[in-house]
Coordinates of all heavy atoms in Angstrom, one line a residue:
T33 N 20.5 76.0 -98.2 CA 19.7 77.0 -99.0 C 18.7 76.2 -99.9 O 19.1 75.1 -100.4 CB 20.5 77.9 -99.8 OG1 19.8 78.7 -100.7 CG2 21.4 77.1 -100.7
A91 N 14.7 52.4 -102.5 CA 13.5 52.7 -103.3 C 13.8 53.4 -104.5 O 13.4 53.0 -105.6 CB 12.5 53.5 -102.4
A144 N 16.0 31.4 -110.6 CA 14.8 32.3 -110.3 C 14.6 33.5 -111.3 O 13.6 34.2 -111.3 CB 15.1 33.0 -109.0
D246 N 9.3 63.6 -127.1 CA 9.6 64.8 -128.0 C 10.8 64.6 -128.8 O 11.4 65.5 -129.4 CB 9.7 66.0 -127.1 CG 10.8 65.8 -126.0 OD1 11.3 64.7 -125.9 OD2 11.1 66.8 -125.3
R265 N 19.2 60.6 -110.9 CA 19.4 62.0 -110.5 C 18.4 62.9 -111.1 O 17.9 63.8 -110.5 CB 20.8 62.4 -110.8 CG 21.2 63.7 -110.2 CD 22.7 64.2 -110.7 NE 23.7 63.3 -110.1 CZ 24.0 63.3 -108.8 NH1 23.4 64.1 -108.0 NH2 25.0 62.5 -108.4
L362 N 22.5 45.1 -69.2 CA 23.6 45.8 -70.0 C 23.5 47.4 -69.7 O 22.4 48.0 -69.7 CB 23.5 45.7 -71.5 CG 23.7 44.1 -71.9 CD1 23.5 44.1 -73.5 CD2 25.0 43.6 -71.5
T384 N 11.2 42.4 -82.0 CA 11.3 43.8 -82.5 C 11.3 43.6 -84.1 O 10.4 43.5 -84.8 CB 12.5 44.6 -82.0 OG1 13.7 43.9 -82.3 CG2 12.4 44.8 -80.5
P401 N 14.3 32.7 -79.9 CA 13.9 33.5 -78.7 C 15.1 34.1 -77.8 O 15.1 35.1 -77.3 CB 13.0 32.6 -77.9 CG 12.4 31.7 -79.0 CD 13.5 31.5 -80.0

Side-chain angles (χ1 to χ4, degrees):
T33 177
D246 56 352
R265 185 184 293 289
L362 298 176
T384 59

